[in-house]
Amino acid sequence: MSIKLHGYWRSSASYRVRIALNLKGIAYEYVPVHLVKDGGEQHQARYQGLNPSELVPTLVDEDEDIILNQSLAIIEYVDEKYPSAVKLLPEHKLQRARVRALAQDIAADIQPLANLRVLQYLESHYQVDADGKAEWSRHWIEKGFAGIEKRLQTTAGKYCFGFDLSLADVCLVPQIYNALRFGADMASFPLIQRIHENCNKLPEFVAAKPENQPDAQ
Amino acid sequence: MSIKLHGYWRSSASYRVRIALNLKGIAYEYVPVHLVKDGGEQHQARYQGLNPSELVPTLVDEDEDIILNQSLAIIEYVDEKYPSAVKLLPEHKLQRARVRALAQDIAADIQPLANLRVLQYLESHYQVDADGKAEWSRHWIEKGFAGIEKRLQTTAGKYCFGFDLSLADVCLVPQIYNALRFGADMASFPLIQRIHENCNKLPEFVAAKPENQPDAQ
């Protein structure tokens, strides 16, 4: 296959790209990068060559001779390369802008704060224990979800933006997976929960779940 | 003026949007939101109504009746609305993807970690002092810049991508401002420094500098 996705089962940025590739109907080879084993395979020379940021995911598209990092950049690239499949970025510029903003509310202002390397730093530098790390993660997730829930009051239908799937849903579902993992209180987020349920009825979302990946533990 | 930018002089996400608006030649009204005074104006009801995430910047485009958050979404919106001015996202899909990825290396994996609210949390929950907060900020900036410097070895000319300005430069310059503010060691990043110098020769970048804003202190 010409498309390879280097990722990790529990990385929510990898999870986003898996959902997007499934929704676009693109066959791809999944190459696991173990983020913990042996100090993290993402720090080894072989992976550094693909991605000097030493983070997952990385997409390699051999047809186009491109190696690409950053989940949102990857998803927009795939959306543009295969325009005939379901559009993850809407055609209209106002709607497209709103979708990108909600996706970035998650990808910039929630997810990076509870990333593995950040939790490792909290432990090594400030002696934050497992409970403290979960509290830290929940704090940023709940804060971010509070803003998103308010936005969804004016945009949501079956999905984040009406009845069409978009990049926003592709980002939201993996973030909810993390929220549940860290024990976030979801009671205040009924719209987020409804969208989560609706998305997870779709086989493209189910196949992308962390527990359904070959490197799941 | 139909475009209002709600921002803060020292917010690097606001700084990005100011550069982009200047490069696009768009006149706008700048509305300061003081992030510290009275516990932070971004948390007050008046601003929450514009942006329930309680973060800056927010762009209001009265012509289009849109209120938009997230600096990268705002910049892509402006770039699409005014296609005849300098293009901040390249025409070719591979190049566009690379520009987006580098912008997100900064906007997702560096900047949010040294955001004001994160530094406030470190202080209130883990008693991290001013030196410790600067160390935390430098750590993520230097880590992120190391990856970016390697990428620039294959892409940089006068700017991040050859000789055309792009969204990547618009994100890089404000991040360097933060890097210098927190005392990051820039010696290992000669390409980043060169691009910084080249950008700051342009009046559009100079006018966007924090110290040139009406709310600068």
Side-chain angles (χ1 to χ4, degrees):
Chain A
M1 273 173 281
S2 78
I3 292 197
K4 289 189 172 60
L5 175 64
H6 299 257
Y8 183 60
W9 65 289
R10 217 160 56 169
S11 142
S12 68
S14 304
Y15 188 179
R16 289 175 203 148
V17 178
R18 293 193 301 258
I19 296 169
L21 290 169
N22 292 347
L23 288 171
K24 300 295 286 189
I26 300 166
Y28 65 97
E29 182 184 337
Y30 180 69
V31 186
V33 180
H34 202 298
L35 299 189
V36 183
K37 200 170 64 182
D38 303 328
E41 291 179 352
Q42 73 278 24
H43 304 306
Q44 294 172 6
R46 199 168 56 104
Y47 187 76
Q48 276 182 327
L50 287 177
N51 186 340
S53 305
E54 305 175 23
L55 293 164
V56 290
T58 305
L59 183 119
V60 179
D61 183 350
E62 290 172 355
D63 279 350
E64 306 272 4
D65 200 22
I66 188 169
I67 300 170
L68 197 59
N69 70 317
Q70 287 296 343
S71 60
L72 299 196
I74 291 170
I75 294 168
E76 289 222 34
Y77 165 72
V78 163
D79 201 44
E80 292 174 1
K81 184 174 172 184
Y82 302 95
S84 59
V86 53
K87 290 282 295 168
L88 298 175
L89 277 297
E91 291 288 353
H92 193 282
K93 72 173 185 295
L94 297 183
Q95 197 65 352
R96 190 163 56 242
R98 289 190 182 100
V99 166
R100 283 190 183 125
L102 200 75
Q104 292 164 17
D105 283 342
I106 296 165
D109 289 333
I110 302 178
Q111 188 271 328
L113 293 166
N115 213 343
L116 175 67
R117 58 182 193 159
V118 175
L119 301 180
Q120 286 171 337
Y121 188 103
L122 293 177
E123 185 177 338
S124 62
H125 285 66
Y126 310 136
Q127 293 75 51
V128 179
D129 64 11
D131 284 351
K133 289 188 282 185
E135 186 191 344
W136 162 277
S137 302
R138 280 196 306 272
H139 175 81
W140 300 114
I141 293 169
E142 290 173 2
K143 212 170 186 58
F145 276 7
I148 290 171
E149 181 77 17
K150 278 189 204 146
R151 293 185 200 285
L152 290 173
Q153 287 167 4
T154 59
T155 66
K158 193 170 179 182
Y159 305 120
C160 289
F161 289 87
F163 291 81
D164 294 316
L165 283 166
S166 73
L167 175 65
D169 305 292
V170 167
C171 291
L172 185 61
V173 168
Q175 191 58 59
I176 299 165
Y177 170 86
N178 274 355
L180 297 172
R181 186 179 154 209
F182 290 117
D185 179 5
M186 296 295 291
S188 310
F189 313 125
L191 292 172
I192 290 175
Q193 289 192 74
R194 184 179 82 197
I195 293 162
H196 186 226
E197 281 166 28
N198 288 333
C199 287
N200 275 336
K201 287 177 187 156
L202 304 173
E204 295 87 347
F205 280 79
V206 173
K209 284 186 177 187
E211 60 266 32
N212 293 333
Q213 305 318 302
D215 55 335
Q217 289 174 334
Chain B
M1 275 173 280
S2 79
I3 292 197
K4 289 188 171 61
L5 175 65
H6 299 256
Y8 183 60
W9 64 290
R10 216 160 57 170
S11 141
S12 68
S14 304
Y15 187 179
R16 289 174 204 149
V17 177
R18 293 194 300 259
I19 296 169
L21 290 168
N22 292 347
L23 287 171
K24 300 295 285 188
I26 300 166
Y28 66 96
E29 182 185 337
Y30 180 69
V31 186
V33 180
H34 202 297
L35 299 190
V36 183
K37 200 170 63 183
D38 303 328
E41 291 178 352
Q42 74 278 25
H43 305 305
Q44 293 172 7
R46 200 168 55 104
Y47 186 76
Q48 275 182 327
L50 287 178
N51 187 340
S53 305
E54 304 174 22
L55 293 165
V56 290
T58 305
L59 183 120
V60 179
D61 183 350
E62 290 171 355
D63 278 351
E64 306 271 4
D65 200 21
I66 188 169
I67 301 170
L68 197 59
N69 71 317
Q70 287 296 344
S71 60
L72 299 196
I74 292 170
I75 294 168
E76 289 222 33
Y77 165 72
V78 164
D79 201 44
E80 292 174 1
K81 185 174 172 184
Y82 302 95
S84 59
V86 53
K87 290 282 294 169
L88 298 175
L89 278 297
E91 292 288 352
H92 192 283
K93 73 172 184 296
L94 297 183
Q95 197 65 351
R96 190 163 56 243
R98 289 190 182 101
V99 165
R100 282 190 183 124
L102 200 75
Q104 291 164 16
D105 283 343
I106 296 164
D109 289 333
I110 302 179
Q111 188 270 326
L113 293 166
N115 213 344
L116 175 67
R117 58 182 193 158
V118 175
L119 301 180
Q120 287 171 337
Y121 189 103
L122 293 178
E123 184 176 341
S124 61
H125 285 66
Y126 311 136
Q127 294 74 52
V128 179
D129 63 11
D131 285 349
K133 288 189 282 185
E135 186 190 345
W136 161 277
S137 302
R138 280 196 306 271
H139 175 80
W140 300 114
I141 293 170
E142 290 173 3
K143 213 171 185 58
F145 276 5
I148 289 171
E149 182 76 17
K150 278 190 204 145
R151 294 185 199 285
L152 290 174
Q153 287 168 3
T154 58
T155 66
K158 193 170 179 181
Y159 305 119
C160 288
F161 289 87
F163 290 81
D164 293 317
L165 283 166
S166 73
L167 175 65
D169 304 293
V170 167
C171 290
L172 185 60
V173 168
Q175 191 58 61
I176 299 166
Y177 171 85
N178 274 355
L180 297 172
R181 185 179 153 208
F182 290 118
D185 180 5
M186 296 295 290
S188 311
F189 313 125
L191 292 172
I192 291 175
Q193 289 193 76
R194 185 178 81 196
I195 293 162
H196 186 225
E197 283 167 26
N198 289 332
C199 287
N200 275 336
K201 287 176 187 156
L202 304 173
E204 294 88 346
F205 281 79
V206 173
K209 284 186 177 187
E211 61 266 33
N212 294 333
Q213 305 317 303
D215 55 335
Q217 288 174 335

